[in-house]
Amino acid sequence: GAGVSQSPSNKVTEKGKDVELRCDPISGHTALYWYRQSLGQGLEFLIYFQGNSAPDKSGLPSDRFSAERTGGSVSTLTIQRTQQEDSAVYLCASSWAAYGYTFGSGTRLTVV
Amino acid sequence: GQQLNQSPQSMFIQEGEDVSMNCTSSSIFNTWLWYKQDPGEGPVLLIALYKAGELTSNGRLTAQFGITRKDSFLNISASIPSDVGIYFCAGFTGGGNKLTFGTGTQLKVEL
């Protein structure tokens, strides 16, 4: 597609439930990133995929968070046993080079 | 970890005024980027700076990469209502591909 597509755009879930957030990057972009943005805050790095290399998971806040990228394209961020502090906007970006980040519009997650 | 401190945290200015915001770091960055985020959207790249001392313009926007490689500023001239949004600085360090983001400057423009 023309841009980075994220779904759903909004997700409300009950505390303790699992959620899956999807990112469809720009075709041909080899790198994919997930960031988290809490209300009124900057962007917090979560995880980075580059081609077929092992992902950089150094930003994942706990073992409840995981992500995969299938076939070098679509990525899914999974949060298990959601907590209220997980409420945030989750942003995905893709790039073909280190300086070419393009962000999606994000998924706003609300845990009630 | 690395932190980027942005100031001011928010600005409320009159249409037509010039705006200046800056970003400082305790670490050296080898690339500085400035992004703008509109409500409900992801950040959009405005300007990229790759060399210490570099001064780059994009329309009414001007940004500079500090000589020490630990700071950058963004100027917006003759602000207009559509300049409203949150501006983030971001940077790469060393050979890394992860962007570190600043805390953001919220700009509000009064007609």
Side-chain angles (χ1 to χ4, degrees):
Chain A
V4 177
S5 178
Q6 291 188 245
S7 61
S9 54
N10 282 283
K11 175 73 175 178
V12 180
T13 190
E14 291 181 353
K15 179 180 171 182
K17 295 281 179 71
D18 297 351
V19 294
E20 285 190 352
L21 313 180
R22 176 187 168 107
C23 174
D24 208 335
I26 292 173
S27 178
H29 281 193
T30 56
L32 187 149
Y33 312 79
W34 284 96
Y35 282 80
R36 178 169 69 175
Q37 185 175 27
S38 300
L39 185 64
Q41 300 297 313
L43 279 71
E44 174 191 6
F45 168 77
L46 296 178
I47 188 169
Y48 158 53
F49 296 89
Q50 175 62 57
N52 296 321
S53 303
D56 178 347
K57 304 179 183 180
S58 59
L60 294 179
S62 77
D63 59 8
R64 296 187 296 104
F65 288 72
S66 63
E68 62 178 21
R69 188 179 184 192
T70 53
S73 182
V74 172
S75 177
T76 302
L77 177 68
T78 301
I79 309 173
Q80 296 178 309
R81 304 182 303 281
T82 52
Q83 304 294 314
Q84 287 186 327
E85 62 262 27
D86 299 335
S87 296
V89 175
Y90 290 82
L91 289 160
C92 174
S94 70
S95 73
W96 56 269
Y99 311 129
Y101 274 44
T102 300
F103 281 89
S105 297
T107 293
R108 180 175 297 279
L109 176 66
T110 304
V111 182
V112 297
Chain B
Q2 296 123 7
Q3 282 195 330
L4 292 179
N5 300 306
Q6 265 186 263
S7 64
Q9 189 173 13
S10 65
M11 303 180 73
F12 193 34
I13 61 168
Q14 300 277 340
E15 182 180 7
E17 285 185 357
D18 296 343
V19 172
S20 184
M21 59 191 80
N22 65 59
C23 196
T24 59
S25 169
S26 57
S27 304
I28 288 175
F29 281 75
N30 57 20
T31 302
W32 284 95
L33 306 172
W34 284 92
Y35 283 85
K36 183 191 177 204
Q37 186 177 29
D38 291 326
E41 300 294 328
V44 173
L45 182 65
L46 298 174
I47 287 182
L49 302 158
Y50 303 112
K51 223 166 44 170
E54 180 180 354
L55 183 71
T56 296
S57 293
N58 178 7
R60 294 179 296 106
L61 308 179
T62 302
Q64 184 158 31
F65 191 145
I67 290 291
T68 65
R69 296 165 65 191
K70 292 184 177 181
D71 64 320
S72 177
F73 72 75
L74 175 71
N75 286 343
I76 305 173
S77 63
S79 58
I80 59 177
S82 61
D83 291 335
V84 165
I86 303 176
Y87 292 79
F88 291 101
C89 62
F92 289 105
T93 58
N97 289 327
K98 292 182 301 193
L99 267 182
T100 299
F101 280 83
T103 48
T105 293
Q106 180 153 28
L107 182 62
K108 300 176 185 178
V109 180
E110 184 176 65
L111 298 176

